[in-house]
Amino acid sequence: MALGNIFDIAGSGMNAQSLRLNTTASNLANAQAASSSADQVYRNRQPVFAAIQEKAMGGALFGNPGMSDHTAGSGVEVLGIVESDAPLERRYEPSHPMADDEGYVFYPNVNVVEEMTNMISASRSFQMNVEVMNSAKQMVQRVLTLGQ
């Protein structure tokens, strides 16, 4: 693994956390969106991530032949965004303009507290990837000054 791969790995982590932040923002924006039908109401969405595994080059990881069967992580990929199957909130509000024939209004299955926690976690993860990039940048700069 070259030092340059660290930038790719941290960059893929930043992209993944950015998508997570956007999904959380969408969930929070639609948390109180009412609908008269269960089919049309907004549902909580969450991104699904997976580690990208890469076989070590030449059968040896980091030049150690004993680690030839291992794989090295090379970042994060987004497998997709899934909608939650949690039950929707159904409230009896006959005076609501979106009420159905029985007087019920459907609200999304978004938990605002969980979404705020997701937002803080994604923000911290994004910051950690930035710190990794800054540390790698400082290491590269130090290596370049060794020859002077």
Side-chain angles (χ1 to χ4, degrees):
M1 174 186 290
L3 188 58
N5 290 349
I6 293 173
F7 293 108
D8 294 336
I9 294 170
S12 72
M14 290 169 62
N15 283 336
Q17 296 308 321
S18 178
L19 177 73
R20 185 176 170 199
L21 279 170
N22 285 333
T23 306
T24 300
S26 177
N27 287 339
L28 287 172
N30 291 298
Q32 294 298 320
S35 178
S36 60
S37 168
D39 297 334
Q40 297 175 350
V41 70
Y42 181 85
R43 295 180 189 274
N44 187 13
R45 296 178 180 150
Q46 297 296 324
V48 178
F49 302 129
I52 300 172
Q53 299 294 323
E54 177 178 289
K55 277 283 189 195
M57 293 177 58
L61 183 63
F62 305 116
N64 186 352
M67 299 178 72
S68 62
D69 292 338
H70 296 282
T71 57
S74 61
V76 176
E77 67 177 332
V78 178
L79 296 179
I81 296 176
V82 296
E83 289 187 347
S84 172
D85 292 334
L88 301 172
E89 186 177 350
R90 185 177 175 209
R91 295 184 203 158
Y92 182 70
E93 297 175 354
S95 61
H96 195 283
M98 298 295 288
D100 63 3
D101 295 339
E102 298 174 357
Y104 287 100
V105 179
F106 294 92
Y107 287 94
N109 54 1
V110 175
N111 184 334
V112 175
V113 175
E114 287 180 9
E115 293 304 318
M116 291 300 292
T117 305
N118 274 340
M119 186 171 65
I120 292 169
S121 174
S123 175
R124 297 281 188 245
S125 296
F126 189 90
Q127 288 174 344
M128 291 307 299
N129 283 302
V130 169
E131 289 298 320
V132 166
M133 287 187 111
N134 283 334
S135 296
K137 179 180 139 192
Q138 288 176 351
M139 286 191 291
V140 168
Q141 287 175 337
R142 295 270 170 119
V143 167
L144 291 175
T145 60
L146 286 177
Q148 296 178 353

